[in-house]
Every structure is written in C-alpha cells, then in structure tokens.
Amino acid sequence: MTNIKKTGRRTMPEQSGKVQTVLGLIEPGQLGRTMTHEHLTMTFECSHVPPAPGDEGLAAAPIEMKHLHWLQQNPYSHSENLLLNQEIEAVKEELLCYRKAGGGSIVENTTTGITRNLPVLRKLAKETGVHIIAGAGYYVDVTHSDETRKMTVEKLTDIIVSEVLHGADGTDIRCGVIGEIGTSWPITESEKKVLRATAHAQTQLGCPVIIHPGRNKAAPGEAIRILQEAGGNISKTVMSHLDRTLFDQQELLEFAKMGSYLEYDLFGTEMLNYPFNLDVDMPSDSQRVQALAFLIREGYEDRILIAHDIHTKHRLTKYGGHGFSHILKNIVPKMLSRGITQNQVDKILIENPKQWLTFK
Ligand SMILES: CC(=O)NCCS(=O)(=O)O
C-alpha cells in the first residue's frame, strides 16, 4: 500500500525527495557514481539486421575470438548476440568489478517490449551491492502489442503510474524512472500516446523520465515538444543517444536550449557502418569526449550524463567487450587529460544523476 502525503501543490508520493531502487527507497546521496543508461538483462530481437550475403555462416556461428571483429562491426546481425538475458552470471561478475572500480549505481533502461526482468534486477542488486533503478513504460512501436496500441492515453498513464507506485510485471518491484521510452522516426501514433502518458505520469509523480529518440536529427526536439505540450517536466527528462543523433554543434546547442539532460550513452561503441542509419558516422570515444568538452565550454555541465548502453552480449568483458567499468577506468582519465576538471567529472557522474533521479 503506497503512502501518499497531500500538499497544496500536488499529491506527493512517498518517493518525494528520494531515489527509488529495485530494493526500495534510498537517499540521493547514497547513489555515488551512476551510469544513467544501461541494460543488465534484455532481448533485442526487434532490431535484428539480416547479415550481408555471404555472412550467414558468421551470423549463426558461436561467439569466438576469431569472429570478434566481425561481431563488433555487425552486432545486430548475430541473433544470439541479441540475447543479453542469457548472461546473468557474467553481468553479475561485471557489476562486482564495477563496484570495485568505484561505481555505485546503474539505471536499467529495459522497458516493456525488450523483456524487462525485475526479479533478476532485484537479485543482482542484492548480490552485488550496486543500486539498480528500473525503468517503467514502453520501448519503440515495433514492440508494442495490439493491446498497447489500442490503449487510451489515460490507460497508459495508469499503467505507468502503477509501475512506479506499486510494481511492474505482476511483481511488487517498483520502477524508479519512466523509460527508456522508445520513439522511432517519424514518431508513430502509438509512440505519441505513450509520450503523452509519460508526461501525465511524470506530472503526478514528479519522477525522472528518459527518452530513446528516433535515428534522425529532428527526433530529439520532436519528442521533447510532445512531452512539453502534454505538461511534462523537461528539466527532469533525459534525451538519450545524442552521440548517434545530433552531430552539428549549432543544432546540438539549439536542442540543449530546450532544457533536457543531454546523454552521451554509447561509450565503447565504435563501428564503421551503423546499420540503423547508414548516413551516420558513429563517433569514436575520443569524439564523444570532445562533444562533452564542447558542451561544458558552452555552459551545460549541469545537464550532461554518460553511460555505455550495453544491450548485446559482445560488449561484456566475457566476450572481449569493454564492460560496465569502461567509463570509470578509461574514459574518466581521457576526460581529465582533455581539460575536463575532476569537479566537472564528478558533476557528470554523481551530481547530475542524483539531481535527475530524485523524485520532486
Ligand atoms: C537498447 C537501445 O535502444 N539501444 C540503442 C541502440 S541505438 O543504436 O543507439 O538506437
């Protein structure tokens, strides 16, 4: 049963002033260094890309050292690679390393449509000591069920609110953010309804929101406009995946003025051909650090968040990948060597996630 305090402003949930993890409420100061966009268990079959002619054998072969480069360049063409949910033990080992490297918390962005597994998240949190914050709501349109598509905004709002206040997927495990809310490009009617429901739920709950934009430079702005028109709190909303979406500095600054958090969350992903949009040149980690330094120079250090968005097997250290500690071990030293101060690093990894994740 949820404890509700009434104030003149709005109905205040018991979450107000706290962060909600899969093990319950914590004080914001307990979070520590936080990766704001990861997945610990999910499936990504919805994004399978057929292998190039001649590569069918590689796409069906077990993951082996000699195929690693092919896999890194074609991660979405290998069906087994898309089943991160088969790697719970490996993820647990990674989380223990993440803690040793100084990590405190992880926001687990798996929503309905990509196989959210809250009992596994709770088990991982208990066994590793990492604070895990789970995501409410729905991924992109191709994963929406017929039932979801038929729902009104009011019904979707009720479900999202309930996932935060009472628990999701038939469990009593409560989500601590809404998202990642999936949008495609162009944004579909079903996704627009989910965005409006997200804004309405956020208004009731005062909670953090995180959006997955479509793969087009107009997508982040359009998603924020829909949330804004539905009354969402943009200053408590994260726009994910900017590293594969907005490249032009002036366009980035125009978007930044809208007031959301700006997330660079594909650290560790370096690939020549980005199969979901071949016009995109996926940046390197060095270029991501340059983008962070640019935003800091432009006065946005309070708005930046970073993560790896691990969502496939090959990015785990078990498969020769960079793992969940890459930012702490490799990217932070690079940031410092490029003139970003320790104070700014701490803002990006500790203070900004804390501000975002604390319920109003
Ligand atoms: C799980 C997820 O949505 N990851 C983002 C992949 S993308 O290529 O940046 O869209």
Side-chain angles (χ1 to χ4, degrees):
M1 190 63 178
T2 308
N3 222 354
I4 301 273
K5 286 184 274 181
K6 287 264 183 194
T7 72
R9 196 161 54 98
R10 66 179 169 92
T11 305
M12 300 282 282
E14 63 177 313
Q15 289 82 353
S16 187
K18 311 268 189 218
V19 172
Q20 184 153 273
T21 75
V22 291
L23 295 180
L25 298 175
I26 62 168
E27 292 302 325
Q30 291 176 256
L31 283 170
R33 294 186 187 84
T34 303
M35 299 297 136
T36 50
H37 198 131
E38 303 296 347
H39 299 268
L40 304 176
T41 171
M42 65 168 275
T43 58
F44 208 37
E45 291 146 308
C46 62
S47 298
H48 180 259
V49 174
D55 281 358
E56 295 83 358
L58 285 165
I63 302 177
E64 280 188 82
M65 198 63 157
K66 64 181 178 184
H67 299 150
L68 210 49
H69 185 256
W70 179 86
L71 188 62
Q72 286 161 352
Q73 293 298 320
N74 300 278
Y76 305 112
S77 297
H78 189 285
S79 301
E80 279 276 311
N81 190 40
L82 307 179
L83 302 176
L84 186 63
N85 62 340
Q86 296 177 335
E87 299 296 339
I88 295 160
E89 268 312 301
V91 167
K92 179 181 156 187
E93 291 308 309
E94 292 252 356
L95 290 181
L96 292 169
C97 293
Y98 175 68
R99 272 206 76 186
K100 265 202 199 133
S105 305
I106 279 182
V107 183
E108 215 283 1
N109 277 253
T110 307
T111 44
T112 299
I114 46 175
T115 322
R116 179 174 54 195
N117 191 334
L118 292 164
V120 165
L121 298 189
R122 180 157 64 182
K123 189 167 181 295
L124 286 170
K126 276 189 186 153
E127 290 177 356
T128 65
V130 174
H131 298 297
I132 298 174
I133 296 103
Y138 300 83
Y139 193 58
V140 297
D141 186 292
V142 289
T143 70
H144 293 186
S145 66
D146 289 345
E147 196 192 352
T148 302
R149 279 175 217 287
K150 284 187 199 132
M151 284 182 197
T152 61
V153 173
E154 291 70 27
K155 177 69 186 164
L156 291 163
T157 306
D158 287 348
I159 291 172
I160 294 171
V161 167
S162 179
E163 289 183 348
V164 174
L165 290 184
H166 304 296
D169 305 334
T171 75
D172 62 355
I173 304 169
R174 300 189 285 182
C175 299
V177 303
I178 304 176
E180 59 183 302
I181 294 299
T183 61
S184 316
W185 188 257
I187 303 177
T188 70
E189 284 312 310
S190 192
E191 290 168 346
K192 285 180 187 171
K193 279 197 292 177
V194 172
L195 282 172
R196 292 185 186 114
T198 295
H200 295 174
Q202 188 188 36
T203 304
Q204 287 184 45
L205 299 167
C207 67
V209 162
I210 182 162
I211 305 297
H212 163 110
R215 296 160 184 130
N216 182 288
K217 65 182 184 175
E222 183 62 11
I224 292 292
R225 265 186 291 279
I226 293 169
L227 290 170
Q228 231 161 14
E229 283 167 18
N233 181 349
I234 304 311
S235 71
K236 229 170 157 45
T237 298
V238 175
M239 185 52 64
S240 308
H241 311 324
L242 288 181
D243 25 2
R244 57 99 166 124
T245 315
L246 277 182
F247 305 97
D248 178 86
Q249 290 190 331
Q250 284 319 307
E251 288 171 354
L252 177 59
L253 291 181
E254 276 307 304
F255 176 71
K257 279 192 217 148
M258 297 184 89
S260 74
Y261 284 100
L262 309 166
E263 193 176 72
Y264 284 74
D265 50 29
L266 294 165
F267 273 99
T269 303
E270 300 199 355
M271 57 164 62
L272 201 52
N273 296 305
Y274 177 57
F276 303 131
N277 182 349
L278 291 172
D279 290 337
V280 161
D281 284 330
M282 185 61 87
S284 66
D285 280 352
S286 298
Q287 289 168 314
R288 291 186 178 97
V289 171
Q290 286 163 16
L292 303 184
F294 169 71
L295 284 169
I296 290 170
R297 281 197 303 278
E298 294 293 329
Y300 287 100
E301 68 185 49
D302 295 342
R303 298 273 95 197
I304 301 169
L305 297 169
I306 58 176
H308 312 90
D309 187 19
I310 290 183
H311 53 274
T312 48
K313 291 184 185 184
H314 81 290
R315 296 177 64 199
L316 300 174
T317 52
K318 174 179 171 183
Y319 294 104
H322 54 79
F324 291 97
S325 305
H326 174 54
I327 286 180
L328 296 180
K329 288 191 169 162
N330 306 314
I331 300 301
V332 167
K334 180 80 179 181
M335 288 164 78
L336 294 169
S337 82
R338 290 296 180 265
I340 299 176
T341 66
Q342 185 63 54
N343 190 39
Q344 289 163 335
V345 168
D346 290 345
K347 264 199 181 172
I348 292 168
L349 289 177
I350 304 171
E351 189 56 30
N352 297 349
K354 180 171 107 180
Q355 293 300 329
W356 173 53
L357 288 167
T358 304
F359 281 58
K360 279 185 96 77

PDB file of all heavy atoms in Angstrom, residues 36-38 180 210-211 213 238-244 263-269 288 305-311 315 327:
ATOM      1  N   THR A  36      23.740   6.220 -16.208  1.00  0.00           N
ATOM      2  CA  THR A  36      22.312   6.505 -16.299  1.00  0.00           C
ATOM      3  C   THR A  36      21.607   5.775 -17.445  1.00  0.00           C
ATOM      4  O   THR A  36      20.395   5.927 -17.603  1.00  0.00           O
ATOM      5  CB  THR A  36      22.088   8.027 -16.456  1.00  0.00           C
ATOM      6  OG1 THR A  36      22.930   8.490 -17.514  1.00  0.00           O
ATOM      7  CG2 THR A  36      22.384   8.757 -15.176  1.00  0.00           C
ATOM      8  N   HIS A  37      22.348   4.973 -18.217  1.00  0.00           N
ATOM      9  CA  HIS A  37      21.675   4.260 -19.320  1.00  0.00           C
ATOM     10  C   HIS A  37      22.396   2.939 -19.590  1.00  0.00           C
ATOM     11  O   HIS A  37      23.346   2.878 -20.372  1.00  0.00           O
ATOM     12  CB  HIS A  37      21.651   5.115 -20.586  1.00  0.00           C
ATOM     13  CG  HIS A  37      20.646   4.653 -21.585  1.00  0.00           C
ATOM     14  ND1 HIS A  37      19.747   5.495 -22.189  1.00  0.00           N
ATOM     15  CD2 HIS A  37      20.370   3.417 -22.087  1.00  0.00           C
ATOM     16  CE1 HIS A  37      18.973   4.816 -23.007  1.00  0.00           C
ATOM     17  NE2 HIS A  37      19.344   3.547 -22.968  1.00  0.00           N
ATOM     18  N   GLU A  38      21.930   1.889 -18.929  1.00  0.00           N
ATOM     19  CA  GLU A  38      22.484   0.548 -19.170  1.00  0.00           C
ATOM     20  C   GLU A  38      21.339  -0.453 -19.242  1.00  0.00           C
ATOM     21  O   GLU A  38      20.188  -0.122 -18.936  1.00  0.00           O
ATOM     22  CB  GLU A  38      23.429   0.143 -18.019  1.00  0.00           C
ATOM     23  CG  GLU A  38      24.593   1.089 -17.761  1.00  0.00           C
ATOM     24  CD  GLU A  38      25.606   1.197 -18.901  1.00  0.00           C
ATOM     25  OE1 GLU A  38      25.557   0.363 -19.827  1.00  0.00           O
ATOM     26  OE2 GLU A  38      26.422   2.132 -18.887  1.00  0.00           O
ATOM     27  N   GLU A 180      13.709   3.577 -20.693  1.00  0.00           N
ATOM     28  CA  GLU A 180      13.670   4.422 -21.848  1.00  0.00           C
ATOM     29  C   GLU A 180      12.354   4.228 -22.611  1.00  0.00           C
ATOM     30  O   GLU A 180      11.990   3.132 -23.017  1.00  0.00           O
ATOM     31  CB  GLU A 180      14.860   4.159 -22.794  1.00  0.00           C
ATOM     32  CG  GLU A 180      14.989   2.737 -23.338  1.00  0.00           C
ATOM     33  CD  GLU A 180      16.233   2.567 -24.200  1.00  0.00           C
ATOM     34  OE1 GLU A 180      16.409   3.271 -25.210  1.00  0.00           O
ATOM     35  OE2 GLU A 180      17.045   1.680 -23.823  1.00  0.00           O
ATOM     36  N   ILE A 210      13.244   9.269 -19.152  1.00  0.00           N
ATOM     37  CA  ILE A 210      14.344   9.131 -20.121  1.00  0.00           C
ATOM     38  C   ILE A 210      13.786   8.644 -21.461  1.00  0.00           C
ATOM     39  O   ILE A 210      12.984   7.718 -21.505  1.00  0.00           O
ATOM     40  CB  ILE A 210      15.473   8.219 -19.568  1.00  0.00           C
ATOM     41  CG1 ILE A 210      16.638   8.114 -20.547  1.00  0.00           C
ATOM     42  CG2 ILE A 210      14.973   6.850 -19.154  1.00  0.00           C
ATOM     43  CD1 ILE A 210      17.927   7.600 -19.910  1.00  0.00           C
ATOM     44  N   ILE A 211      14.209   9.298 -22.537  1.00  0.00           N
ATOM     45  CA  ILE A 211      13.648   9.066 -23.872  1.00  0.00           C
ATOM     46  C   ILE A 211      14.715   8.503 -24.823  1.00  0.00           C
ATOM     47  O   ILE A 211      15.855   8.988 -24.851  1.00  0.00           O
ATOM     48  CB  ILE A 211      13.117  10.395 -24.473  1.00  0.00           C
ATOM     49  CG1 ILE A 211      12.107  11.066 -23.543  1.00  0.00           C
ATOM     50  CG2 ILE A 211      12.540  10.182 -25.882  1.00  0.00           C
ATOM     51  CD1 ILE A 211      10.835  10.280 -23.293  1.00  0.00           C
ATOM     52  N   PRO A 213      15.412   8.519 -28.633  1.00  0.00           N
ATOM     53  CA  PRO A 213      14.929   9.202 -29.835  1.00  0.00           C
ATOM     54  C   PRO A 213      15.071   8.340 -31.077  1.00  0.00           C
ATOM     55  O   PRO A 213      15.921   7.445 -31.135  1.00  0.00           O
ATOM     56  CB  PRO A 213      15.862  10.414 -29.923  1.00  0.00           C
ATOM     57  CG  PRO A 213      17.153   9.921 -29.355  1.00  0.00           C
ATOM     58  CD  PRO A 213      16.796   8.905 -28.290  1.00  0.00           C
ATOM     59  N   VAL A 238      15.658  13.102 -19.608  1.00  0.00           N
ATOM     60  CA  VAL A 238      16.943  12.840 -20.292  1.00  0.00           C
ATOM     61  C   VAL A 238      16.681  12.509 -21.754  1.00  0.00           C
ATOM     62  O   VAL A 238      15.800  11.687 -22.049  1.00  0.00           O
ATOM     63  CB  VAL A 238      17.659  11.618 -19.654  1.00  0.00           C
ATOM     64  CG1 VAL A 238      18.922  11.265 -20.436  1.00  0.00           C
ATOM     65  CG2 VAL A 238      17.981  11.874 -18.201  1.00  0.00           C
ATOM     66  N   MET A 239      17.430  13.118 -22.661  1.00  0.00           N
ATOM     67  CA  MET A 239      17.418  12.674 -24.060  1.00  0.00           C
ATOM     68  C   MET A 239      18.651  11.789 -24.272  1.00  0.00           C
ATOM     69  O   MET A 239      19.783  12.240 -24.142  1.00  0.00           O
ATOM     70  CB  MET A 239      17.453  13.879 -25.008  1.00  0.00           C
ATOM     71  CG  MET A 239      17.313  13.485 -26.465  1.00  0.00           C
ATOM     72  SD  MET A 239      15.883  12.416 -26.818  1.00  0.00           S
ATOM     73  CE  MET A 239      14.504  13.487 -26.400  1.00  0.00           C
ATOM     74  N   SER A 240      18.383  10.528 -24.582  1.00  0.00           N
ATOM     75  CA  SER A 240      19.460   9.539 -24.748  1.00  0.00           C
ATOM     76  C   SER A 240      20.092   9.605 -26.143  1.00  0.00           C
ATOM     77  O   SER A 240      19.563  10.257 -27.041  1.00  0.00           O
ATOM     78  CB  SER A 240      18.895   8.123 -24.612  1.00  0.00           C
ATOM     79  OG  SER A 240      18.157   7.957 -23.464  1.00  0.00           O
ATOM     80  N   HIS A 241      21.163   8.853 -26.302  1.00  0.00           N
ATOM     81  CA  HIS A 241      21.775   8.516 -27.607  1.00  0.00           C
ATOM     82  C   HIS A 241      22.111   9.736 -28.468  1.00  0.00           C
ATOM     83  O   HIS A 241      22.025   9.662 -29.711  1.00  0.00           O
ATOM     84  CB  HIS A 241      20.830   7.605 -28.417  1.00  0.00           C
ATOM     85  CG  HIS A 241      20.280   6.429 -27.663  1.00  0.00           C
ATOM     86  ND1 HIS A 241      20.985   5.734 -26.723  1.00  0.00           N
ATOM     87  CD2 HIS A 241      19.046   5.824 -27.723  1.00  0.00           C
ATOM     88  CE1 HIS A 241      20.232   4.750 -26.240  1.00  0.00           C
ATOM     89  NE2 HIS A 241      19.050   4.797 -26.820  1.00  0.00           N
ATOM     90  N   LEU A 242      22.483  10.849 -27.840  1.00  0.00           N
ATOM     91  CA  LEU A 242      22.813  12.019 -28.666  1.00  0.00           C
ATOM     92  C   LEU A 242      24.027  11.749 -29.534  1.00  0.00           C
ATOM     93  O   LEU A 242      24.193  12.352 -30.596  1.00  0.00           O
ATOM     94  CB  LEU A 242      23.025  13.260 -27.786  1.00  0.00           C
ATOM     95  CG  LEU A 242      21.747  13.823 -27.164  1.00  0.00           C
ATOM     96  CD1 LEU A 242      22.050  15.052 -26.332  1.00  0.00           C
ATOM     97  CD2 LEU A 242      20.707  14.176 -28.234  1.00  0.00           C
ATOM     98  N   ASP A 243      24.876  10.799 -29.089  1.00  0.00           N
ATOM     99  CA  ASP A 243      26.102  10.534 -29.860  1.00  0.00           C
ATOM    100  C   ASP A 243      25.833   9.930 -31.239  1.00  0.00           C
ATOM    101  O   ASP A 243      26.703   9.980 -32.097  1.00  0.00           O
ATOM    102  CB  ASP A 243      27.131   9.678 -29.092  1.00  0.00           C
ATOM    103  CG  ASP A 243      26.579   8.776 -28.019  1.00  0.00           C
ATOM    104  OD1 ASP A 243      25.353   8.727 -27.833  1.00  0.00           O
ATOM    105  OD2 ASP A 243      27.383   8.099 -27.363  1.00  0.00           O
ATOM    106  N   ARG A 244      24.650   9.355 -31.477  1.00  0.00           N
ATOM    107  CA  ARG A 244      24.363   8.846 -32.839  1.00  0.00           C
ATOM    108  C   ARG A 244      23.259   9.663 -33.506  1.00  0.00           C
ATOM    109  O   ARG A 244      22.722   9.262 -34.529  1.00  0.00           O
ATOM    110  CB  ARG A 244      24.005   7.359 -32.819  1.00  0.00           C
ATOM    111  CG  ARG A 244      22.806   6.949 -31.937  1.00  0.00           C
ATOM    112  CD  ARG A 244      21.550   6.774 -32.687  1.00  0.00           C
ATOM    113  NE  ARG A 244      20.494   6.094 -31.952  1.00  0.00           N
ATOM    114  CZ  ARG A 244      19.298   6.617 -31.756  1.00  0.00           C
ATOM    115  NH1 ARG A 244      19.027   7.861 -32.145  1.00  0.00           N
ATOM    116  NH2 ARG A 244      18.363   5.926 -31.127  1.00  0.00           N
ATOM    117  N   GLU A 263      22.401  13.229 -22.965  1.00  0.00           N
ATOM    118  CA  GLU A 263      23.085  11.986 -22.618  1.00  0.00           C
ATOM    119  C   GLU A 263      23.921  11.448 -23.776  1.00  0.00           C
ATOM    120  O   GLU A 263      23.406  11.225 -24.878  1.00  0.00           O
ATOM    121  CB  GLU A 263      22.062  10.934 -22.184  1.00  0.00           C
ATOM    122  CG  GLU A 263      22.709   9.725 -21.509  1.00  0.00           C
ATOM    123  CD  GLU A 263      21.675   8.746 -20.997  1.00  0.00           C
ATOM    124  OE1 GLU A 263      21.046   8.058 -21.823  1.00  0.00           O
ATOM    125  OE2 GLU A 263      21.481   8.663 -19.775  1.00  0.00           O
ATOM    126  N   TYR A 264      25.202  11.213 -23.484  1.00  0.00           N
ATOM    127  CA  TYR A 264      26.120  10.513 -24.390  1.00  0.00           C
ATOM    128  C   TYR A 264      26.288   9.126 -23.782  1.00  0.00           C
ATOM    129  O   TYR A 264      27.001   8.960 -22.792  1.00  0.00           O
ATOM    130  CB  TYR A 264      27.443  11.280 -24.527  1.00  0.00           C
ATOM    131  CG  TYR A 264      27.249  12.483 -25.414  1.00  0.00           C
ATOM    132  CD1 TYR A 264      26.563  13.596 -24.956  1.00  0.00           C
ATOM    133  CD2 TYR A 264      27.676  12.464 -26.734  1.00  0.00           C
ATOM    134  CE1 TYR A 264      26.310  14.678 -25.798  1.00  0.00           C
ATOM    135  CE2 TYR A 264      27.432  13.537 -27.580  1.00  0.00           C
ATOM    136  CZ  TYR A 264      26.749  14.634 -27.100  1.00  0.00           C
ATOM    137  OH  TYR A 264      26.495  15.687 -27.931  1.00  0.00           O
ATOM    138  N   ASP A 265      25.606   8.143 -24.361  1.00  0.00           N
ATOM    139  CA  ASP A 265      25.474   6.870 -23.657  1.00  0.00           C
ATOM    140  C   ASP A 265      25.918   5.676 -24.482  1.00  0.00           C
ATOM    141  O   ASP A 265      25.573   4.543 -24.179  1.00  0.00           O
ATOM    142  CB  ASP A 265      24.020   6.683 -23.206  1.00  0.00           C
ATOM    143  CG  ASP A 265      23.047   6.913 -24.344  1.00  0.00           C
ATOM    144  OD1 ASP A 265      23.434   6.668 -25.497  1.00  0.00           O
ATOM    145  OD2 ASP A 265      21.911   7.344 -24.079  1.00  0.00           O
ATOM    146  N   LEU A 266      26.687   5.941 -25.545  1.00  0.00           N
ATOM    147  CA  LEU A 266      27.162   4.798 -26.338  1.00  0.00           C
ATOM    148  C   LEU A 266      28.677   4.659 -26.218  1.00  0.00           C
ATOM    149  O   LEU A 266      29.342   4.151 -27.136  1.00  0.00           O
ATOM    150  CB  LEU A 266      26.714   4.953 -27.795  1.00  0.00           C
ATOM    151  CG  LEU A 266      25.178   4.863 -27.973  1.00  0.00           C
ATOM    152  CD1 LEU A 266      24.751   5.377 -29.350  1.00  0.00           C
ATOM    153  CD2 LEU A 266      24.661   3.449 -27.749  1.00  0.00           C
ATOM    154  N   PHE A 267      29.238   5.090 -25.059  1.00  0.00           N
ATOM    155  CA  PHE A 267      30.675   4.933 -24.850  1.00  0.00           C
ATOM    156  C   PHE A 267      31.044   3.459 -24.993  1.00  0.00           C
ATOM    157  O   PHE A 267      30.361   2.574 -24.494  1.00  0.00           O
ATOM    158  CB  PHE A 267      31.089   5.459 -23.461  1.00  0.00           C
ATOM    159  CG  PHE A 267      31.381   6.938 -23.475  1.00  0.00           C
ATOM    160  CD1 PHE A 267      30.428   7.851 -23.057  1.00  0.00           C
ATOM    161  CD2 PHE A 267      32.608   7.399 -23.945  1.00  0.00           C
ATOM    162  CE1 PHE A 267      30.695   9.222 -23.092  1.00  0.00           C
ATOM    163  CE2 PHE A 267      32.888   8.762 -23.978  1.00  0.00           C
ATOM    164  CZ  PHE A 267      31.929   9.673 -23.557  1.00  0.00           C
ATOM    165  N   GLY A 268      32.110   3.214 -25.746  1.00  0.00           N
ATOM    166  CA  GLY A 268      32.547   1.838 -26.000  1.00  0.00           C
ATOM    167  C   GLY A 268      32.086   1.309 -27.342  1.00  0.00           C
ATOM    168  O   GLY A 268      32.590   0.306 -27.821  1.00  0.00           O
ATOM    169  N   THR A 269      31.125   1.999 -27.979  1.00  0.00           N
ATOM    170  CA  THR A 269      30.622   1.559 -29.288  1.00  0.00           C
ATOM    171  C   THR A 269      31.408   2.258 -30.384  1.00  0.00           C
ATOM    172  O   THR A 269      31.302   3.471 -30.536  1.00  0.00           O
ATOM    173  CB  THR A 269      29.136   1.945 -29.463  1.00  0.00           C
ATOM    174  OG1 THR A 269      28.394   1.371 -28.403  1.00  0.00           O
ATOM    175  CG2 THR A 269      28.588   1.447 -30.779  1.00  0.00           C
ATOM    176  N   ARG A 288      33.447  11.503 -28.598  1.00  0.00           N
ATOM    177  CA  ARG A 288      32.432  11.710 -27.545  1.00  0.00           C
ATOM    178  C   ARG A 288      32.984  12.632 -26.463  1.00  0.00           C
ATOM    179  O   ARG A 288      32.292  13.537 -25.987  1.00  0.00           O
ATOM    180  CB  ARG A 288      32.021  10.367 -26.920  1.00  0.00           C
ATOM    181  CG  ARG A 288      31.235   9.495 -27.853  1.00  0.00           C
ATOM    182  CD  ARG A 288      30.719   8.224 -27.153  1.00  0.00           C
ATOM    183  NE  ARG A 288      29.935   7.468 -28.115  1.00  0.00           N
ATOM    184  CZ  ARG A 288      30.388   6.442 -28.851  1.00  0.00           C
ATOM    185  NH1 ARG A 288      31.614   5.981 -28.675  1.00  0.00           N
ATOM    186  NH2 ARG A 288      29.612   5.853 -29.734  1.00  0.00           N
ATOM    187  N   LEU A 305      24.961  13.757 -18.973  1.00  0.00           N
ATOM    188  CA  LEU A 305      25.008  12.419 -18.366  1.00  0.00           C
ATOM    189  C   LEU A 305      25.717  11.485 -19.349  1.00  0.00           C
ATOM    190  O   LEU A 305      25.655  11.707 -20.566  1.00  0.00           O
ATOM    191  CB  LEU A 305      23.589  11.908 -18.108  1.00  0.00           C
ATOM    192  CG  LEU A 305      22.740  12.726 -17.116  1.00  0.00           C
ATOM    193  CD1 LEU A 305      21.299  12.276 -17.152  1.00  0.00           C
ATOM    194  CD2 LEU A 305      23.307  12.650 -15.706  1.00  0.00           C
ATOM    195  N   ILE A 306      26.369  10.437 -18.795  1.00  0.00           N
ATOM    196  CA  ILE A 306      27.066   9.500 -19.692  1.00  0.00           C
ATOM    197  C   ILE A 306      26.832   8.041 -19.254  1.00  0.00           C
ATOM    198  O   ILE A 306      26.516   7.780 -18.096  1.00  0.00           O
ATOM    199  CB  ILE A 306      28.589   9.786 -19.802  1.00  0.00           C
ATOM    200  CG1 ILE A 306      29.282   9.725 -18.444  1.00  0.00           C
ATOM    201  CG2 ILE A 306      28.819  11.145 -20.454  1.00  0.00           C
ATOM    202  CD1 ILE A 306      30.810   9.918 -18.538  1.00  0.00           C
ATOM    203  N   ALA A 307      26.994   7.134 -20.215  1.00  0.00           N
ATOM    204  CA  ALA A 307      26.798   5.694 -19.951  1.00  0.00           C
ATOM    205  C   ALA A 307      27.308   4.907 -21.152  1.00  0.00           C
ATOM    206  O   ALA A 307      27.839   5.492 -22.119  1.00  0.00           O
ATOM    207  CB  ALA A 307      25.320   5.402 -19.720  1.00  0.00           C
ATOM    208  N   HIS A 308      27.156   3.570 -21.072  1.00  0.00           N
ATOM    209  CA  HIS A 308      27.588   2.699 -22.180  1.00  0.00           C
ATOM    210  C   HIS A 308      26.410   2.126 -22.987  1.00  0.00           C
ATOM    211  O   HIS A 308      26.595   1.605 -24.074  1.00  0.00           O
ATOM    212  CB  HIS A 308      28.372   1.483 -21.664  1.00  0.00           C
ATOM    213  CG  HIS A 308      29.446   1.773 -20.678  1.00  0.00           C
ATOM    214  ND1 HIS A 308      29.227   1.793 -19.313  1.00  0.00           N
ATOM    215  CD2 HIS A 308      30.768   2.050 -20.839  1.00  0.00           C
ATOM    216  CE1 HIS A 308      30.363   2.047 -18.683  1.00  0.00           C
ATOM    217  NE2 HIS A 308      31.316   2.218 -19.578  1.00  0.00           N
ATOM    218  N   ASP A 309      25.205   2.120 -22.392  1.00  0.00           N
ATOM    219  CA  ASP A 309      24.047   1.463 -23.010  1.00  0.00           C
ATOM    220  C   ASP A 309      24.396   0.050 -23.500  1.00  0.00           C
ATOM    221  O   ASP A 309      24.156  -0.316 -24.662  1.00  0.00           O
ATOM    222  CB  ASP A 309      23.493   2.312 -24.175  1.00  0.00           C
ATOM    223  CG  ASP A 309      22.192   1.733 -24.729  1.00  0.00           C
ATOM    224  OD1 ASP A 309      21.543   0.934 -24.037  1.00  0.00           O
ATOM    225  OD2 ASP A 309      21.834   2.079 -25.878  1.00  0.00           O
ATOM    226  N   ILE A 310      24.965  -0.753 -22.624  1.00  0.00           N
ATOM    227  CA  ILE A 310      25.242  -2.153 -23.011  1.00  0.00           C
ATOM    228  C   ILE A 310      23.905  -2.840 -23.257  1.00  0.00           C
ATOM    229  O   ILE A 310      23.024  -2.812 -22.399  1.00  0.00           O
ATOM    230  CB  ILE A 310      26.065  -2.849 -21.904  1.00  0.00           C
ATOM    231  CG1 ILE A 310      27.481  -2.244 -21.905  1.00  0.00           C
ATOM    232  CG2 ILE A 310      26.067  -4.374 -22.097  1.00  0.00           C
ATOM    233  CD1 ILE A 310      28.448  -2.853 -20.936  1.00  0.00           C
ATOM    234  N   HIS A 311      23.730  -3.414 -24.464  1.00  0.00           N
ATOM    235  CA  HIS A 311      22.464  -4.084 -24.757  1.00  0.00           C
ATOM    236  C   HIS A 311      22.649  -5.352 -25.574  1.00  0.00           C
ATOM    237  O   HIS A 311      21.674  -5.943 -26.039  1.00  0.00           O
ATOM    238  CB  HIS A 311      21.469  -3.121 -25.431  1.00  0.00           C
ATOM    239  CG  HIS A 311      22.003  -2.414 -26.639  1.00  0.00           C
ATOM    240  ND1 HIS A 311      22.707  -1.244 -26.565  1.00  0.00           N
ATOM    241  CD2 HIS A 311      21.936  -2.713 -27.958  1.00  0.00           C
ATOM    242  CE1 HIS A 311      23.038  -0.841 -27.781  1.00  0.00           C
ATOM    243  NE2 HIS A 311      22.580  -1.726 -28.654  1.00  0.00           N
ATOM    244  N   ARG A 315      29.443  -6.782 -25.851  1.00  0.00           N
ATOM    245  CA  ARG A 315      30.048  -5.645 -25.149  1.00  0.00           C
ATOM    246  C   ARG A 315      30.435  -6.006 -23.711  1.00  0.00           C
ATOM    247  O   ARG A 315      31.002  -5.197 -22.988  1.00  0.00           O
ATOM    248  CB  ARG A 315      29.117  -4.437 -25.242  1.00  0.00           C
ATOM    249  CG  ARG A 315      28.993  -4.020 -26.723  1.00  0.00           C
ATOM    250  CD  ARG A 315      28.054  -2.890 -26.912  1.00  0.00           C
ATOM    251  NE  ARG A 315      28.528  -1.710 -26.255  1.00  0.00           N
ATOM    252  CZ  ARG A 315      27.752  -0.677 -25.946  1.00  0.00           C
ATOM    253  NH1 ARG A 315      26.473  -0.700 -26.241  1.00  0.00           N
ATOM    254  NH2 ARG A 315      28.244   0.378 -25.345  1.00  0.00           N
ATOM    255  N   ILE A 327      33.885   3.363 -18.650  1.00  0.00           N
ATOM    256  CA  ILE A 327      33.889   4.818 -18.420  1.00  0.00           C
ATOM    257  C   ILE A 327      34.768   5.147 -17.214  1.00  0.00           C
ATOM    258  O   ILE A 327      35.617   6.053 -17.283  1.00  0.00           O
ATOM    259  CB  ILE A 327      32.445   5.345 -18.239  1.00  0.00           C
ATOM    260  CG1 ILE A 327      31.748   5.367 -19.609  1.00  0.00           C
ATOM    261  CG2 ILE A 327      32.436   6.737 -17.579  1.00  0.00           C
ATOM    262  CD1 ILE A 327      30.306   5.857 -19.590  1.00  0.00           C
TER     263      ILE A 327
END
